[in-house]
Amino acid sequence: MKKILLVVGLVVLLGAFVGCDMSMDESVLSRGLTESTTVEARKIGKSGAPVSFTATVNLYQQLGSVVTEHKGNSNHYKTVEETLQSFAYGPYGGTIKSDWPLLDGKNVIMNNVTNYNLDPVSGEISGSNHSVIQVVDEAMQVVAVLQANGTIDGSLLGAEIAMNWTLKEVNGKKVNARGKVGGLFTWAVFDYETMSLQYILPNGTFTLTGTYN
């Protein structure tokens, strides 16, 4: 009976994140860009050689945002809807910390679609994902839209997410920016007193690296 409850618990909880495909209309997102972003985009366009940068942010899962499909009688699942966000919530979230002004001090909304396999006994998980990432300012205006593709590998206690990303648009102006994003996403911690998993709000800290010009 305990094994059955554990399996059900893992599947329900896992439905809570795994996925990376923000199916959003980029043209709609672009219309929300602010005038200040236009100025930043012009500055970027005037730069010469590519400029390297880093950015870090903690993302947590928006409760109720996950829709997961179980693919037949197997350990294969697909998260067709899921949203991660960085708006401060207790110990979670917070604005982006970056040496690229376009990103620094902004928040993130990340929609995901993920194909993955989940072992109901060990909690091991692996798969591939696609993400559309919106960077928004204090007025909730979109200042940048990124697309990322990559893999997820690990367990519910911590899975490495590794993706390549490209910046699609900044207020309709093409900006040459690309790089990598990685982080450790966690759904549970191990309680040594009860010798069992204790589930937490799914979250992870991500680091974005790359260049822009």
Side-chain angles (χ1 to χ4, degrees), residues 44-208:
I44 294 170
K46 291 180 181 179
S47 63
V51 178
S52 298
F53 76 95
T54 61
T56 58
V57 66
N58 178 264
L59 300 177
Y60 61 91
Q61 188 182 84
Q62 181 182 35
L63 296 179
S65 70
V66 181
V67 177
T68 300
E69 299 175 348
H70 187 188
K71 297 299 183 178
N73 186 23
S74 68
N75 291 338
H76 184 63
Y77 300 85
K78 181 177 182 180
T79 296
V80 294
E81 293 181 26
E82 183 215 21
T83 301
L84 305 182
Q85 58 190 19
S86 68
F87 305 104
Y89 179 66
Y92 306 106
T95 57
I96 300 171
K97 301 293 185 290
S98 177
D99 51 1
W100 186 6
L102 180 69
L103 304 182
D104 188 52
K106 309 301 193 302
N107 276 295
V108 173
I109 301 173
M110 177 175 172
N111 289 352
N112 306 314
V113 167
T114 302
N115 281 289
Y116 63 95
N117 292 309
L118 171 65
D119 188 313
V121 177
S122 67
E124 292 182 351
I125 181 174
S126 63
S128 61
N129 55 274
H130 170 67
S131 299
V132 177
I133 304 166
Q134 298 177 79
V135 179
V136 299
D137 63 16
E138 292 181 353
M140 289 299 293
Q141 299 298 310
V142 179
V143 302
V145 179
L146 291 72
Q147 286 192 357
N149 293 282
T151 60
I152 177 172
D153 187 50
S155 75
L156 297 182
L157 294 172
E160 289 284 349
I161 295 177
M163 297 187 286
N164 295 316
W165 65 268
T166 57
L167 178 62
K168 304 310 293 182
E169 285 188 1
V170 176
N171 197 29
K173 180 180 178 61
K174 277 292 185 181
V175 176
N176 184 20
R178 64 189 65 246
K180 297 182 180 296
V181 58
L184 188 71
F185 202 84
T186 303
W187 294 263
V189 295
F190 191 79
D191 187 330
Y192 286 94
E193 291 186 4
T194 62
M195 297 303 290
S196 63
L197 295 181
Q198 297 296 316
Y199 296 107
I200 62 174
L201 179 63
N203 77 97
T205 296
F206 295 84
T207 299
L208 190 78

